[in-house]
Amino acid sequence: MNKNTILTLLVGSHILMLLSCAQSKNESISTSHNSRPNIIFYLADDQDITDYGIYGNEKVHTSAIDRLAKEGMYFDLAFTAQAICAPSRTQLFTGKYPLKNGAFANHTPTRPNISSVTKQMRALGYEVVLAGKSHVKPASVYDWDQEWEPVPKEGVPRDYIPLENIEKYFQSANKPFVMFITSKYPHGKYFDVKEPKAENLKFHPYDAHLKNDLAYIKKRAGYYRSIEEDNTQLERVLDLVDTHLTDNTLFIYSADHGVSGKFTVKDIGLNVPFVVRWPNVIKPGSHSDQLIHYTDVLPTFIDAAGGKPDPSMDGKSFLSLLEGKDEAIHQYVYGVRTSQNIINARVFPSRMIRDKRYKYIRNFNALEVLQQNLTDNPNINVFLRQGAERHKNEDFEELYDLERDPFEQINLIEKADLQGVKERLKNQLFSWMKSQDDFLDERLGYVPIITAPTFKLDQNKPPHRTSVAKEHQNILKPADYLVVEHWLNK
């Protein structure tokens, strides 16, 4: 064999090796992008959608979320069904509305037979981790593979997310995972801001009358400072993700509900920020105005992992939106208010339905229908009356055109040309309530009072901080309550 032949064979062999390596690399990239993603959901606590740069507030520091939006997609119409901590979180973890999953009152457990994100994603080969605030129970439903509590930190009003645990996990993870990073910020207690100024805050129709209220300005300035602190935490998490994980990481940021609409069914409480980054899947700088819901999160995780969502879930996968298809996920989303076991508890249940433009609210114990709700039991009537009087300015029915009136200031329920809209929404709401096995329905004169293991309407008991007049304490009997059975078998 001459030298030229040997050289030709060597060159050919080298070329084949290079082609083989290139093919192997391309296959590896392709496999990486088509394999199951790691999934991270960062959840802030009690932050209005109006208090982010990307959502129009130039006076608050949210650079990390604004960066996520530039690198991914943000949603205008993402919703939770309940503007309160535990009921909101259970929707993320179960794919079911609060009434169906059972935790429709704060500090109460999910139904014990529910299969949550832990079991659903574990069945697809994932580890499921909670890093931070929990606020959900029972442990049999939320059986995290790993769970790390928030950690104390000096000089700040709230505990921090467990950054050290998160980093170690990112470094050592050897299988796909879902991690919920659940912050305690910006929920109060807020920072103490010295000499705050109203001009450094952004006001809206619901709080414009408070521009000269010094106590409100101080509280709001502390809230803004707490938002900034959470931004610092999120920046650190994003650095860890970019350092230790691959591009095949689906990262979602949201806040569990708005603080200005807490306990209500107003959009300022239920419309949540929602920003998603997934390199090579989501087009950077994209945006969606489709209706999505917290109950959609678990079905989307399952879909992204190659599974099929349980049809008993209320939510639907919005994976198609992340992949660039602009298609409707829902025609309607729904909201729930349960006021009996919160601060200054009052009997005032509400239900809400909205489409992309209109919203209908039914306040079942409004003052205008109180007489029909009163029973032949004077002890029950005490609390029905207190609830109605506490919310005396809220109408029995409300209808809003959200395109023209996004802060729900003008009730159009009597507007003649919107009666068809009202009837459509009302009928759909009651149909949904029936499907949820709601304890309320379309009947007038029926507003049961409910009880939970940790709460009685006629007692002063922490952590609910209710104030019950002495003459009204301990006047209710077990038979007076509508008992939610699974709460007794938690």
Side-chain angles (χ1 to χ4, degrees):
M1 188 178 292
N2 61 38
K3 289 182 178 179
N4 287 338
T5 302
I6 293 172
L7 182 61
T8 300
L9 289 172
L10 286 173
V11 170
S13 175
H14 185 64
I15 290 171
L16 286 172
M17 184 175 70
L18 289 173
L19 289 172
S20 176
C21 288
Q23 182 180 3
S24 175
K25 184 177 181 182
N26 286 336
E27 286 175 352
S28 175
I29 291 172
S30 176
T31 300
S32 173
H33 288 174
N34 291 324
S35 62
R36 294 169 297 173
N38 291 321
I39 302 171
I40 299 169
F41 195 110
Y42 189 105
L43 187 67
D45 196 345
D46 282 28
Q47 185 169 344
D48 294 342
I49 190 173
T50 51
D51 292 327
Y52 295 86
I54 58 166
Y55 290 109
N57 189 340
E58 72 285 355
K59 296 187 177 184
V60 66
H61 183 70
T62 57
S63 58
I65 298 95
D66 300 345
R67 168 195 160 189
L68 275 177
K70 290 177 182 177
E71 296 171 350
M73 170 184 286
Y74 74 96
F75 289 79
D76 286 330
L77 298 177
F79 286 84
T80 178
Q82 208 157 348
I84 192 167
C85 288
S88 185
R89 291 158 195 263
T90 60
Q91 298 164 78
L92 292 173
F93 300 152
T94 69
K96 300 183 178 184
Y97 275 94
L99 290 160
K100 188 181 284 187
N101 78 50
F104 61 87
N106 218 21
H107 307 285
T108 56
T110 298
R111 299 181 193 278
N113 63 340
I114 295 283
S115 179
S116 80
V117 62
T118 55
K119 295 178 178 64
Q120 298 273 351
M121 295 303 291
R122 193 178 295 131
L124 296 172
Y126 278 70
E127 282 195 333
V128 188
V129 180
L130 181 69
K133 177 178 176 177
S134 172
H135 215 291
V136 294
K137 55 187 178 182
S140 61
V141 172
Y142 303 109
D143 55 332
W144 311 102
D145 290 307
Q146 296 199 51
E147 180 178 1
W148 311 305
E149 298 285 337
V151 294
K153 181 177 173 65
E154 290 188 6
V156 295
R158 305 281 284 170
D159 292 343
Y160 247 50
I161 56 174
L163 286 165
E164 185 176 339
N165 297 92
I166 292 169
E167 181 171 23
K168 287 179 179 177
Y169 188 86
F170 287 173
Q171 291 171 329
S172 62
N174 55 14
K175 63 188 301 187
F177 64 84
V178 173
M179 180 182 290
F180 290 95
I181 301 175
T182 47
S183 174
K184 283 193 166 187
Y185 285 91
H187 191 295
K189 176 181 177 185
Y190 300 132
F191 281 84
D192 182 11
V193 175
K194 306 299 182 184
E195 300 182 4
K197 295 180 173 57
E199 56 262 33
N200 294 329
L201 307 173
K202 187 157 188 171
F203 292 86
H204 302 280
Y206 60 83
D207 67 349
H209 62 291
L210 297 171
K211 286 183 178 180
N212 296 315
D213 186 318
L214 297 181
Y216 181 79
I217 292 168
K218 185 171 182 62
K219 182 178 180 180
R220 201 71 178 169
Y223 160 71
Y224 273 35
R225 174 65 185 86
S226 290
I227 290 173
E228 183 177 353
E229 194 68 22
D230 199 42
N231 187 78
T232 300
Q233 292 190 115
L234 180 57
E235 284 179 336
R236 178 62 177 144
V237 169
L238 291 175
D239 287 344
L240 295 176
V241 170
D242 294 344
T243 299
H244 300 297
L245 302 179
T246 71
D247 278 353
N248 195 20
T249 301
L250 169 58
F251 192 104
I252 300 177
Y253 170 89
S254 189
D256 62 350
H257 56 77
V259 65
S260 298
K262 192 165 184 169
F263 311 134
T264 77
V265 288
K266 298 292 188 182
D267 269 17
I268 193 59
L270 299 181
N271 186 193
V272 293
F274 206 90
V275 186
V276 189
R277 184 184 75 172
W278 191 0
N280 304 311
V281 176
I282 296 175
K283 180 182 177 182
S286 52
H287 152 259
S288 176
D289 64 356
Q290 295 293 348
L291 281 169
I292 65 168
H293 197 270
Y294 265 16
T295 57
D296 300 329
V297 168
L298 180 52
T300 303
F301 286 1
I302 293 170
D303 196 6
K308 292 186 177 180
D310 185 334
S312 72
M313 292 181 189
D314 294 312
K316 300 177 182 178
S317 171
F318 54 82
L319 181 61
S320 60
L321 297 180
L322 305 183
E323 294 173 335
K325 301 182 184 73
D326 185 24
E327 57 186 24
I329 305 300
H330 298 286
Q331 183 178 0
Y332 305 107
V333 293
Y334 305 88
V336 176
R337 167 158 67 176
T338 303
S339 299
Q340 288 185 223
N341 74 325
I342 58 176
I343 298 170
N344 297 320
R346 296 291 184 264
V347 181
F348 200 79
S350 304
R351 302 290 183 264
M352 173 284 283
I353 180 174
R354 68 138 32 233
D355 59 20
K356 288 178 108 176
R357 179 168 182 177
Y358 294 104
K359 172 187 253 184
Y360 172 81
I361 299 172
R362 170 71 69 97
N363 297 309
F364 288 81
N365 194 35
L367 192 59
E368 64 193 273
V369 295
L370 172 63
Q371 287 303 124
Q372 297 174 74
N373 289 337
L374 296 178
T375 72
D376 57 4
N377 184 329
N379 292 336
I380 292 176
N381 292 344
V382 165
F383 297 98
L384 291 174
R385 186 173 287 107
Q386 286 181 352
E389 291 174 350
R390 167 77 177 181
H391 299 277
K392 62 184 179 181
N393 294 324
E394 296 188 52
D395 296 326
F396 175 56
E397 292 182 297
E398 301 174 60
L399 182 68
Y400 298 101
D401 181 344
L402 298 165
E403 284 186 5
R404 299 180 178 181
D405 179 24
F407 292 103
E408 300 166 59
Q409 302 294 295
I410 304 170
N411 186 2
L412 303 174
I413 200 66
E414 300 295 340
K415 202 168 189 318
D417 61 348
L418 291 178
Q419 293 310 296
V421 173
K422 168 191 164 183
E423 290 302 313
R424 169 174 61 87
L425 294 177
K426 183 171 70 171
N427 291 337
Q428 180 60 35
L429 174 63
F430 289 132
S431 176
W432 173 80
M433 289 167 59
K434 186 176 181 180
S435 75
Q436 294 285 308
D437 198 23
D438 200 334
F439 62 89
L440 295 169
D441 55 37
E442 67 269 28
R443 287 176 291 171
L444 294 177
Y446 175 71
V447 179
I449 60 173
I450 59 174
T451 186
T454 58
F455 172 78
K456 298 292 183 292
L457 195 59
D458 60 348
Q459 295 177 11
N460 291 329
K461 183 179 179 181
H464 309 284
R465 290 179 284 172
T466 55
S467 178
V468 181
K470 187 174 182 180
E471 64 270 23
H472 298 149
Q473 292 179 16
N474 303 309
I475 63 174
L476 295 172
K477 299 176 180 179
D480 297 333
Y481 288 103
L482 172 69
V483 179
V484 181
E485 294 296 334
H486 79 274
W487 289 351
L488 303 180
N489 301 308
K490 59 175 182 170

